[in-house]
Amino acid sequence: MADTKQADEQLDDQAAGGRTDKRDERRTAALAKAVRAFAASHGGSAEAQLAHIGRGRVRIALVGADGQWGNLVADSRDIARAAAERAGAELHEDFDGELAAKVRTGPYEWSRMAGIQVGGPANT
């Protein structure tokens, strides 16, 4: 009896793994498509940096060739890395000075930064 139960549990785990793998593949493909679309809209290429943001989720920070930036969120580091690589984004270990220097901010970002810090509306 115990052997049967154990075999049944293994089959259930394998079946769930198949669903999980397919779900992860769909999520990876969707994120890769979003990264490619971002790159196409912002100069034809993108650079990316992955950062853990909590509960296993990972932020994909993107910087386009034109300096515009954006973020995507993945359910795991493996999915994030696979999506960025599949999309052809250059991956960086850190959002260091070299990558940060490529970011171009506009009036919105400057007004938000100044508004939060210097006499602007309360951030509530």
Side-chain angles (χ1 to χ4, degrees), residues 22-106:
K22 288 179 184 176
R23 185 182 64 214
D24 289 352
E25 177 56 34
R26 285 192 308 272
R27 289 179 175 169
T28 300
L31 282 168
K33 183 178 179 180
V35 172
R36 282 191 299 273
F38 176 86
S41 296
H42 297 289
S45 66
E47 297 180 49
Q49 190 268 333
L50 309 180
H52 175 76
I53 56 174
R55 293 191 177 184
R57 304 204 28 137
V58 175
R59 177 187 70 167
I60 305 170
L62 297 167
V63 179
D66 64 357
Q68 295 298 310
W69 58 277
N71 292 300
L72 296 169
V73 177
D75 290 333
S76 73
R77 188 167 196 83
D78 291 341
I79 291 172
R81 178 172 295 282
E85 288 173 351
R86 188 178 296 182
E90 180 184 343
L91 279 170
H92 293 265
E93 289 298 316
D94 298 307
F95 205 95
D96 58 8
E98 179 184 331
L99 183 58
K102 295 177 182 180
V103 174
R104 299 290 168 246
T105 55

